[in-house]
Amino acid sequence: MKMAENYKTLEIKKISNAMGAMIKGVDLSSDLSETQFEEIRRALFEFGAIGFRDQTLDFDTQIAFAKRFGSLEVHPIVKGMEAHPEIIKMHKPAGHQASFGVGWHSDNSFFTEPSLGSILFAEKVPPIGGDTLFANQQLAYEHLSDGLKQTLEGLVAVHTAHDAYTSDTALEKYDTDGPIQYTRSHIIEDLTEHPAIISHPVTGKKALYLNPMFTSHFKGWSVEESRPLLDFLVQHGVRDDFQCRFTWQAGTVAIWDNRIVQHAALDDYPDHERIIYRITVNGEKLR
C-alpha cells in the first residue's frame, strides 16, 4: 500500500476516484500524537470520508478520540445511551427493516449549526449488505454550469426536520422501548436557513449544501416553485461518479465530514442484526 503524498504517519488507499479513503497502521484507542491526529483530520477534509479497520474501541476511548475534533452533540430527538448520552446505539435487529439513516442526507442540516461530522464504530455487522454510500458535494458543485453556480450563489435554502421525523417509520420510534428511540422536540417544527453553496470552514472549497431529507425550499420561493430546481440538484448531488461505497466489518471506524458529503445507509440485510455506535461532533454556522 502506497503512502499518500504529503502524509508522513498514515498509509492511505482511496476508495474511489471521487472520494473516500481507508487508512492503515493507526490505533485510534491509543494516545495519538498531534502529528498523527492532524494528518487524520487533514485526510478527513481532503477525502470527505475515511475508514479504519481492526479497531478496538470501548465507549470511553471512542468519546476521547471524538473530542479531539470538537465538542460532542447530544441529539435533541434521537436518544443516546443512558450512561453515555453522546453515543447513539444504532441497532437494527434481525428480521427488522433498517429505518435510521436510510436515504440521502446530510446529518442535522436542520440545525442552525449543522454537525461537523460523525465517528462510527461497528460492533456487529451482517455477513453481506448494510453498506453506506457517500457522495462528494464539492464535486457536485464543480460540475455545475457557470450559470447555475451564479444563480445558486445568491440562494438560501430552508431546512426542516419535520418530514423526516414525522414519517410513519419515525413515529414508531417515539414513546417506545425499541432499539432506536426518539423524544419529542420543538426543533422538529423549526425552519433553518443555510446558503445553497457553502465554503468549507477550513479548506475554503465550495460545496453544494442541499439534501432531499431535510431541504424544503428556497428562501423567498414557494415549495412548488422550488421543487423543479431542488429535484435537479439533489439528483445531481448524488451522481454515481461523485460516490464511494463503504463496506463495514466488525471493528471498523468510519468518519465523514458532514459539510461536504451526503450519505445513505442501505437497507439490504433484513435477516441480520447490525450494531454500530455513533458519536457526532458539533459544527458551526455555515457560510
Side-chain angles (χ1 to χ4, degrees):
M1 185 180 299
K2 185 178 179 180
M3 192 172 291
E5 187 177 356
N6 298 324
Y7 289 90
K8 299 184 183 303
T9 71
L10 305 182
E11 294 181 58
I12 297 178
K13 183 178 181 180
K14 291 188 68 175
I15 296 175
S16 77
N17 288 322
M19 64 166 294
M22 296 301 300
I23 297 177
K24 188 177 179 181
V26 178
D27 178 2
L28 300 180
S29 68
S30 66
D31 292 328
L32 299 174
S33 69
E34 283 301 318
T35 299
Q36 282 180 307
F37 176 74
E38 281 306 314
E39 290 195 359
I40 290 171
R41 185 172 177 269
R42 183 153 55 88
L44 175 64
F45 299 155
E46 178 177 349
F47 298 104
I50 54 177
F52 306 80
R53 302 288 191 203
D54 303 319
Q55 300 296 313
T56 304
L57 298 181
D58 58 25
F59 298 140
D60 289 337
T61 52
Q62 187 179 0
I63 289 170
F65 174 65
K67 280 183 175 179
R68 297 189 72 164
F69 291 91
S71 63
L72 305 185
E73 164 195 301
V74 175
H75 201 281
I77 303 169
V78 186
K79 291 184 179 180
M81 299 174 65
E82 185 172 352
H84 301 283
E86 60 273 84
I87 301 179
I88 294 173
K89 181 180 181 180
M90 301 192 302
H91 182 200
K92 203 287 293 183
H96 288 236
Q97 177 185 4
S99 60
F100 184 74
V102 177
W104 287 106
H105 62 289
S106 298
D107 283 338
N108 304 326
S109 69
F110 56 90
F111 285 6
T112 303
E113 297 179 342
S115 309
L116 182 154
S118 291
I119 295 99
L120 272 60
F121 174 70
E123 178 181 278
K124 186 172 185 178
V125 300
I128 190 168
D131 294 351
T132 301
L133 304 178
F134 295 96
N136 185 334
Q137 300 307 285
Q138 292 175 333
L139 274 183
Y141 170 77
E142 291 170 9
H143 281 76
L144 294 173
S145 68
D146 290 341
L148 188 48
K149 287 177 182 176
Q150 186 174 4
T151 298
L152 292 174
E153 287 287 354
L155 289 184
V156 172
V158 179
H159 298 247
T160 176
H162 180 270
D163 291 348
Y165 285 99
T166 58
S167 67
D168 289 343
T169 55
L171 291 174
E172 296 172 354
K173 296 180 177 69
Y174 293 96
D175 305 318
T176 179
D177 59 356
I180 295 181
Q181 301 171 25
Y182 290 173
T183 186
R184 300 186 187 278
S185 169
H186 68 83
I187 199 172
I188 294 171
E189 303 300 330
D190 289 351
L191 299 178
T192 303
E193 299 176 358
H194 300 297
I197 302 298
I198 64 166
S199 296
H200 192 278
V202 175
T203 69
K205 292 185 66 174
K206 292 185 177 182
L208 187 64
Y209 194 73
L210 306 162
N211 68 86
M213 189 174 290
F214 300 126
T215 308
S216 170
H217 60 282
F218 294 110
K219 182 179 181 180
W221 298 28
S222 69
V223 172
E224 293 75 17
E225 290 169 338
S226 302
R227 186 51 47 201
L229 181 54
L230 274 179
D231 284 347
F232 167 77
L233 291 170
V234 297
Q235 291 176 31
H236 169 80
V238 296
R239 275 175 31 178
D240 289 350
D241 54 333
F242 301 160
Q243 291 184 28
C244 74
R245 185 179 185 118
F246 190 90
T247 300
W248 292 94
Q249 299 173 7
T252 296
V253 171
I255 312 173
W256 65 85
D257 186 336
N258 194 58
R259 288 83 56 95
I260 58 173
V261 304
Q262 289 191 57
H263 64 282
L266 297 183
D267 176 24
D268 60 351
Y269 55 109
D271 298 329
H272 300 283
E273 181 181 35
R274 187 172 82 158
I275 301 173
I276 294 180
Y277 297 96
R278 184 182 101 173
I279 297 179
T280 300
V281 181
N282 288 315
E284 57 193 276
K285 189 172 180 60
L286 301 174
R287 294 177 173 82

